[in-house]
């Protein structure tokens, strides 16, 4: 800290992302996709990598907005695109939440929400989950300042069914309800189908997980055109070009290659199911996952011990080390081969 810092710089409590180690490790700690992006994405980026890079990219991103709108049966005016969904989330906090009016999110959730709340001076009510870590919809009715949570929730991996989601939207007619659907492609269904029905619903998705493009930084929001307009106002007060030419070209190709996306998503879900079963056989309590990761604790061995022993064996998983999830590990689903390696190392630690 220094006397030159603004109160905002002093107030900030930055998010700490999962470790990125350089050595050759099995990386199951940041929910990246184990499969490469669609070949058409790489082709599109190569093609776009030309002398036009001297020119600014489109500030309105109309072409990519059209593609995304088409994919979800919406109009361009219902789509906002940002530099990763984290940026879209930050703009959403600025556009829809107000200092002095408390927002609600679950007590166990994506740890970026408290970071934004603090940065933008927004009060938050952290709502306790049920004993089994599921979300009680009624606890989110009639919020003062708005609602935000991931569905499926992170890091619990649990999905809240769409009828419950809709009840939360209905019971907050005067505030914005945001569902962060970073993992929804691995789950039952998205709330996108409700977007044209409710003016207070914002759905945020990312290409980082199911589209294998964490490195490209593309996230987007789907909602009523008046909500989208507010997001555009925030973006245009901050950076005219948060999404570059290469990212836009790659993202367009990714959205259009539905069959590759469906294949890789299905493979991850299939792997997730056998990995869950096998973890249970090894003495883990495993939450019912609808994501590309698993949240689990061992019956007798502490999460910290398992985390450090795996790390020593060159396998990285995510350990949060704070109550009440200090005995849980978050394990990203890799390829079948990677998960075989994971189990080989794990069985040396938890053998029974
Ligand atoms: C990964 C993740 C994001 C961020 O995704 P980016 O688009 O890579 O910024 C947002 N919300 C949740 C819940 C996530 O897990």
């Amino acid at each position: 800290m220094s006397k030159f810092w603004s109160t905002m710089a002093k107030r900030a409590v930055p998010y700490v992302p999962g470790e990125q180690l350089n050595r050759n490790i099995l990386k199951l700690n940041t929910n990246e996709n184990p499969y490469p992006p669609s070949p058409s994405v790489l082709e599109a980026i190569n093609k776009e990598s030309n002398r036009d890079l001297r020119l600014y990219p489109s500030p309105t991103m109309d072409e990519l907005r059209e593609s995304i709108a088409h994919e979800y049966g919406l109009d361009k005016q219902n789509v906002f695109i940002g530099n990763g969904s984290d940026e879209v989330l930050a703009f959403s906090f600025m556009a829809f939440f107000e200092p002095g009016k408390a927002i609600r999110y679950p007590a166990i959730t994506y740890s970026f929400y408290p970071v934004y709340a603090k940065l933008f001076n927004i009060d938050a009510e952290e709502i306790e989950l049920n004993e089994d870590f599921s979300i009680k919809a009624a606890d989110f009715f009639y919020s003062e300042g708005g609602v935000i949570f991931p569905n499926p929730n992170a890091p619990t991996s649990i999905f809240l069914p769409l009828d419950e989601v809709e009840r939360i939207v209905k019971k907050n007619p005067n505030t914005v309800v945001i569902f962060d659907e970073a993992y929804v492609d691995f789950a039952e269904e998205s709330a996108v189908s409700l977007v044209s029905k409710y003016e207070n619903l914002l759905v945020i998705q990312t290409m980082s997980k199911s589209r294998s493009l964490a490195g490209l930084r593309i996230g987007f929001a789907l909602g009523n055109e008046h909500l989208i307009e507010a997001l555009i106002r925030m973006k245009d007060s901050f950076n005219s070009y948060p999404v570059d030419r290469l990212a836009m070209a790659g993202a367009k190709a990714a959205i259009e290659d539905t069959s590759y996306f469906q294949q890789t998503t299905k493979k991850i879900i299939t792997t997730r199911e056998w990995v869950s079963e096998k973890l249970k056989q090894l003495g883990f309590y495993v939450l019912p996952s609808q994501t590309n990761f698993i949240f689990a604790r061992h019956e007798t061995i502490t999460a910290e011990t398992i985390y450090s022993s795996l790390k020593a064996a060159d396998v990285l998983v995510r350990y949060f080390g704070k109550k009440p999830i200090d005995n849980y590990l978050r394990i990203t689903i890799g390829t079948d081969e990677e998960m075989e390696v994971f189990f080989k190392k794990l069985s040396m630690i938890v053998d029974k």
Side-chain angles (χ1 to χ4, degrees):
M1 208 160 309
S2 126
K3 67 174 180 184
F4 302 114
W5 291 17
S6 68
T7 43
M8 194 183 207
K10 285 179 189 151
R11 185 172 69 230
V13 183
Y15 177 77
V16 183
E19 299 159 270
Q20 302 285 358
L21 295 185
N22 283 327
R23 62 194 157 92
N24 197 11
I25 48 147
L26 177 51
K27 195 168 175 305
L28 305 177
N29 71 326
T30 48
N31 299 342
E32 287 141 332
N33 199 304
Y35 300 105
S38 150
S40 66
V41 169
L42 305 181
E43 235 169 77
I45 293 174
N46 276 329
K47 197 162 156 235
E48 189 70 13
S49 183
N50 58 40
R51 41 180 293 140
D52 282 349
L53 277 179
R54 75 195 171 82
L55 302 171
Y56 282 111
S58 161
T60 52
M61 305 182 236
D62 286 331
E63 237 185 285
L64 181 56
R65 287 173 77 199
E66 290 280 7
S67 288
I68 293 174
H70 182 258
E71 172 69 19
Y72 292 98
L74 296 165
D75 290 327
K76 188 185 78 180
Q77 297 95 285
N78 302 118
V79 181
F80 175 83
I81 304 165
N83 190 280
S85 60
D86 286 338
E87 185 182 77
V88 179
L89 287 165
F91 288 148
S92 302
F93 268 68
M94 293 188 221
F96 309 120
F97 298 158
E98 200 83 71
K101 290 188 181 171
I103 60 163
R104 285 187 204 158
Y105 51 73
I108 303 171
T109 196
Y110 187 40
S111 36
F112 233 129
Y113 306 151
V115 171
Y116 295 134
K118 182 110 192 159
L119 189 67
F120 302 128
N121 246 334
I122 290 154
D123 298 326
E125 295 167 5
E126 302 195 344
I127 308 295
E128 292 304 324
L129 301 179
N130 292 320
E131 198 75 17
D132 62 358
F133 288 168
S134 60
I135 283 173
K136 211 182 295 158
D139 288 349
F140 292 88
F141 294 174
Y142 304 113
S143 75
E144 188 187 19
V147 169
I148 181 165
F149 62 82
N151 197 30
N153 195 12
T156 65
S157 75
I158 296 173
F159 179 72
L160 183 70
L162 200 61
D163 54 334
E164 302 281 288
V165 162
E166 185 165 9
R167 282 171 68 214
I168 297 176
V169 178
K170 271 190 194 162
K171 303 279 188 182
N172 284 283
N174 300 315
T175 54
V176 177
V177 176
I178 302 175
F179 292 104
D180 176 356
E181 292 191 335
Y183 301 102
V184 83
D185 296 323
F186 305 103
E188 256 166 61
E189 54 185 335
S190 164
V192 169
S193 59
L194 303 175
V195 158
S196 42
K197 210 167 147 191
Y198 297 100
E199 59 180 14
N200 64 325
L201 167 64
L202 192 74
V203 173
I204 298 181
Q205 295 196 1
T206 175
M207 297 208 176
S208 296
K209 316 283 169 40
S210 56
R211 306 265 174 184
S212 305
L213 288 171
L216 205 69
R217 312 306 304 131
I218 296 277
F220 52 92
L222 306 168
N224 178 280
E225 61 177 287
H226 299 295
L227 299 186
I228 299 305
E229 189 187 345
L231 289 172
I232 293 171
R233 289 170 69 86
M234 296 301 97
K235 165 202 161 280
D236 287 337
S237 307
F238 184 77
N239 179 355
S240 303
Y241 316 104
V243 179
D244 64 70
R245 282 174 173 270
L246 304 183
M248 260 188 281
K252 186 162 181 289
I255 270 289
E256 286 167 4
D257 195 347
T258 318
S259 85
Y260 182 87
F261 157 75
Q262 285 171 346
Q263 270 173 44
T264 47
T265 305
K266 207 169 137 200
K267 274 205 268 190
I268 290 170
I269 293 172
T270 305
T271 307
R272 176 185 77 201
E273 295 310 306
W274 76 254
V275 168
S276 298
E277 276 318 302
K278 189 143 181 186
L279 281 168
K280 287 176 193 165
Q281 287 161 18
L282 284 169
F284 281 86
Y285 169 69
V286 180
L287 297 189
S289 170
Q290 293 210 27
T291 61
N292 68 337
F293 61 87
I294 279 171
F295 203 52
R297 72 174 152 77
H298 194 263
E299 281 159 7
T300 53
I301 309 173
T302 67
E304 191 176 10
T305 304
I306 300 172
Y307 162 78
S308 339
S309 311
L310 281 173
K311 192 170 173 182
D314 288 342
V315 176
L316 204 53
V317 297
R318 189 89 192 252
Y319 167 61
F320 293 92
K322 62 168 198 218
K323 289 210 175 315
I325 54 169
D326 55 331
N327 227 354
Y328 282 81
L329 293 172
R330 194 191 69 189
I331 304 154
T332 304
I333 300 299
T335 62
D336 284 340
E337 297 72 34
E338 286 172 333
M339 298 322 284
E340 298 286 3
V341 173
F342 166 75
F343 278 115
K344 216 164 113 195
K345 310 261 171 108
L346 182 68
S347 59
M348 293 193 273
I349 302 162
V350 299
D351 208 13
K352 51 179 228 173

